[in-house]
Amino acid sequence: MTYPDPSTVRFDGPWQHRDVHANGIRFHAVEAGPSDPGAPLVVLLHGFADFWWSWRHQLTALSDAGYRAVALDLRGYGDSDKPPRGYDGWTLAGDVAGLIRALGHTEATLVGHADGGLVCWATAVLHPRLVRSIALVSSPHPIALKRSVLADRAQRSAFLPAFLRCQLPWRPERVLTRDDGAEVERLLRGRSGPEWPQTEEFAEVVERARSAIQIPGAAHCSLEYQRWAFRSQWRPDGRRFMKAMNQVMTIPVLQIHGDRDPYVLAAALRRDTRWAPGRGLHTVAGAGHFAHQERPAEVTAALTEFLKR
């Protein structure tokens, strides 16, 4: 079997592909808008089993609005390096902090979906001088998510089975990559709202996401995020991470959530306000877990308004 080359995620478009070295590894970054460090920097971070392409709509729209928008292949994904270690909250926050500096900036707004949103929360807490504000798509504060899974039966039923399946050795990697990545399509369909899977765009997204997860090492690395999040709960590094995260944030925070999201429920997001008392909430009607792709114009408008404020 021939596996996709990492360079296959470098799609042509009104953007530039860059290799950026930060925190000891090489990242594939896709940039649109002015490269002048004087332009405000917005860094876009994707979620599980995904890659930079999920932010294609926001990447171009934010650049048109005058921002330097950079969508990243996170550590282990797409055409970024895939080291055997570094999928813990401390290192991932260091990745983004290093990227901001490597791009010549002293601060940035971070926008993240799902796992990428958790990296936003971590970077804002662990590197506060570098983070101007954060916006999340279906990504509760990590303590809020943990408490919701433990306390709320509906959130536990929605989240825990898939999360626990990721903890097995090697089998989850085979599940993600078999049948040309069909499991990624199943996840996209199962967690979306009812309308997006019926569109032509969805077929293109599925094709590209199924290919990207088959890049050698990508499936394993994507699962390492989930494995650290679970296993660290019983280790000193995980306890130290949660202790560090348990502080009130004063920077602007926006939470965006599809009201048809079957994976991250609204009750989990309501807990955010303990750690981000001024957090704004924008609910996207009819969208599921991928609101930034399902309703790109509405999500981009919400982000643009948030950035202006």
Side-chain angles (χ1 to χ4, degrees), residues 113-149:
H113 170 238
D115 286 1
L118 296 179
V119 179
C120 293
W121 287 109
T123 310
V125 169
L126 300 176
H127 303 274
R129 293 183 179 179
L130 292 173
V131 181
R132 182 190 313 118
S133 57
I134 61 173
L136 308 312
V137 178
S138 293
S139 186
H141 188 282
I143 302 177
L145 179 59
K146 179 180 178 179
R147 292 184 180 178
S148 292
V149 169

Side-chain angles (χ1 to χ4, degrees), residues 179-190:
D179 299 329
D180 295 327
E183 177 67 8
V184 174
E185 179 174 352
R186 189 192 70 79
L187 290 174
L188 285 165
R189 289 187 181 278

Side-chain angles (χ1 to χ4, degrees), residues 4-13 15-17 19 26 28-30 46 50-54 71-73 77-80 82 207-215 218:
D5 186 86
S7 65
T8 56
V9 301
R10 296 187 175 232
F11 307 124
D12 292 335
W15 43 62
Q16 293 179 315
H17 295 273
D19 292 306
R26 178 193 58 82
H28 171 225
V30 185
H46 63 80
D50 213 334
F51 66 116
W52 74 269
W53 174 249
S54 67
L72 191 67
D73 278 339
Y77 281 98
D79 199 12
S80 289
K82 299 168 180 61
E207 179 184 4
R208 295 187 171 188
R210 288 178 64 164
S211 176
I213 201 64
Q214 296 177 74
I215 292 170

Side-chain angles (χ1 to χ4, degrees), residues 211-251:
S211 176
I213 201 64
Q214 296 177 74
I215 292 170
H220 174 70
C221 294
S222 68
L223 290 159
E224 288 295 279
Y225 287 72
Q226 311 288 311
R227 288 165 177 160
W228 181 82
F230 178 73
R231 297 171 188 177
S232 68
Q233 301 301 313
W234 292 272
R235 299 200 305 252
D237 63 325
R239 290 194 292 270
R240 285 191 295 110
F241 179 75
M242 283 301 197
K243 183 178 180 180
M245 294 301 297
N246 192 18
Q247 61 177 274
V248 175
M249 299 174 57
T250 58
I251 62 170

Side-chain angles (χ1 to χ4, degrees), residues 149-150 154-166 230 263:
V149 169
L150 292 175
Q155 183 61 79
R156 185 163 58 250
S157 297
F159 182 86
L160 205 56
F163 185 64
L164 292 178
R165 283 195 295 270
C166 292
F230 178 73
Y263 188 61

Side-chain angles (χ1 to χ4, degrees), residues 260-283:
R260 302 292 293 271
D261 188 341
Y263 188 61
V264 174
L265 308 183
L269 302 175
R270 287 195 288 271
R271 295 176 183 264
D272 282 350
T273 54
R274 175 165 181 174
W275 298 276
R279 185 269 284 153
L281 175 63
H282 182 92
T283 301

